[in-house]
Each structure stands twice: as C-alpha cells, then as structure tokens.
Amino acid sequence: DGGITQSPKYLFRKEGQNVTLSCEQNLNHDAMYWYRQDPGQGLRLIYYSQIVNDFQKGDIAEGYSVSREKKESFPLTVTSAQKNPTAFYLCASSIVGRVYEQYFGPGTRLTVT
Amino acid sequence: DAKTTQPTSMDCAEGRAANLPCNHSTISGNEYVYWYRQIHSQGPQYIIHGLKNNETNEMASLIITEDRKSSTLILPHATLRDTAVYYCIVRVGYNQGGKLIFGQGTELSVKP
C-alpha cells in the first residue's frame, strides 16, 4: 500500500538534545511538508520541499532543520534552539501540481522535558 | 486568502446524512474550496475540493452555492468512524508552497 510513514509515534527527549523525526513516502510525490500542531490549534508549516536537494522555510522554521537527499525521505531535526518543542508533528506529501491535496502521515508526538 | 467560518460542533445520527456548512463570503474567483478532516490524534485526511461546480467522490459530496459564498460538505451515510474535526479551507489553486491554513473546524460527533 502506498502511503506516508512517520516514526516513532511517541518520542521523549530531555531538554537540550537534538532529535530527528523520520518521514518516508512511497507515493512518488515530489513535494513534502512538515507541520506542527499544538493542542486545540490548527497546523503550522515548518518547512517544505518541492524537489530533491531543495527546501524552503515555512512560517515557524526557527529551531528546526531538514534535509531532502532522496525523493522518498524528508527528515526533520528539532534542535535545542527550538524554545517549545513539545508538539504533534505531521509530515505530508503531494504532487507538485496539486499542492493542496496533501496526504498526511500518522504523526509523531514529541515530548521534551 | 478568503476567511472561512464554520460551526464549532455538530451532532449527527449514525446512518443519516451529515451536512457541514462553511461560509466563505469573501472568496475570489480563482480560489478553491478544500475539505479535510482530522480524526483524533491522527494526521489530517484530504476529502474533496471544488471551484464552482458541485463535486462528488467516494467519500463525500461538495455543494457550492452559485455565488460561491458558502458551501456544504455532505457525508451521505455517516458512521461512527466519521467522528472527526472537519476543516474547510479556501486557497488559490497553486501558490505559496502549498501551505494549508487550518482554522478551528467543525467537530462532528456521529452518535449511535
């Protein structure tokens, strides 16, 4: 089955540590996205990539970094510079010409203490 | 992008049609209406989109008024698994890197 996988589903880290969230898709989509969702709130865009080896900052990129070395993979690193890292992180992908029809992964819930 | 207004919550009986309204009175001619839903603790799921004609797919129907100032998402036979938050989003067809702007949405509860 085609889809997007994010792992792990739950992640716990100590403050001051960097942590990398995995996102893999086998939908052959060129565009991939990372969003953050806080309790009771909508999604906010962190980074997006429309092609391998290229990515752009979204609305809240500070304290985060990404890479896009392969079409299938778009890992997100939450660095120690991110002031409030505890959140639900969602990865999505789409065909470049249909960017508002995004397919989402199951999400990773990150808790930093 | 046009602002959307949706009721905060709605109930629906299992097996009945769920009609979820969305007001987008400031929509412009090149803006599409998209619907997503998010089941608790899962990623959002794309449902359907339209520009001015009514649309139907295997999940739902989208009815857009002739003046395009409002639309209704219809789940024809709601099941318990349709309990979710439903988001109506208005976007220009392709720009800004595909950012989806989710508002508060409508929390639909399907009851037995």
Side-chain angles (χ1 to χ4, degrees):
Chain A
D1 285 335
I4 300 180
T5 56
Q6 291 185 246
S7 59
K9 190 165 178 63
Y10 299 95
L11 192 53
F12 298 88
R13 280 294 181 271
K14 295 287 188 189
E15 198 172 318
Q17 293 179 336
N18 290 355
V19 59
T20 297
L21 280 58
S22 163
C23 177
E24 304 276 332
Q25 54 98 1
N26 61 2
L27 298 167
N28 200 32
H29 287 170
D30 286 301
M32 296 187 74
Y33 314 83
W34 274 105
Y35 291 88
R36 167 185 173 136
Q37 187 173 35
D38 293 287
Q41 312 237 343
L43 278 64
R44 290 185 289 168
L45 183 66
I46 305 172
Y47 269 98
Y48 65 97
S49 166
Q50 293 177 312
I51 195 167
V52 172
N53 293 322
D54 188 48
F55 47 83
Q56 286 75 42
K57 294 182 180 180
D59 296 326
I60 55 165
E62 187 175 346
Y64 299 97
S65 66
V66 293
S67 63
R68 186 86 188 276
E69 296 176 4
K70 298 187 301 181
K71 186 176 183 177
E72 302 78 21
S73 178
F74 191 39
L76 173 76
T77 297
V78 184
T79 75
S80 56
Q82 168 50 235
K83 292 184 172 50
N84 296 298
T86 294
F88 188 41
Y89 289 89
L90 289 155
C91 179
S93 71
S94 75
I95 298 170
V96 168
R98 301 171 78 169
V99 294
Y100 297 121
E101 295 175 43
Q102 294 182 14
Y103 292 83
F104 284 80
T108 291
R109 194 169 295 279
L110 173 66
T111 302
V112 176
T113 56
Chain B
D1 298 303
K3 179 177 163 55
T4 62
T5 305
Q6 299 178 253
T8 303
S9 63
M10 292 181 65
D11 290 342
C12 178
E14 189 178 18
R16 305 296 293 269
N19 297 288
L20 293 100
C22 180
N23 184 291
H24 31 79
S25 58
T26 60
I27 194 170
S28 60
N30 61 349
E31 288 183 310
Y32 288 73
V33 180
Y34 289 82
W35 283 84
Y36 279 77
R37 72 180 182 185
Q38 187 173 23
I39 295 169
H40 183 62
S41 293
Q42 296 185 22
Q45 178 186 24
Y46 163 79
I47 301 173
I48 198 167
H49 76 277
L51 182 63
K52 49 185 169 182
N53 297 323
N54 297 338
E55 302 287 345
T56 295
N57 63 20
E58 64 278 3
M59 287 184 69
S61 295
L62 174 60
I63 309 297
I64 302 174
T65 58
E66 195 168 335
D67 64 8
R68 303 208 326 120
K69 293 186 176 183
S70 66
S71 59
T72 301
L73 180 75
I74 301 172
L75 308 178
H77 305 287
T79 71
L80 299 178
R81 288 176 294 181
D82 292 322
T83 292
V85 179
Y86 287 77
Y87 297 98
C88 170
I89 301 167
V90 171
R91 299 294 295 176
V92 175
Y94 177 82
N95 75 345
Q96 296 180 28
K99 178 172 66 176
L100 287 170
I101 301 174
F102 288 76
Q104 294 304 305
T106 296
E107 187 161 4
L108 175 68
S109 296
V110 180
K111 299 182 185 298

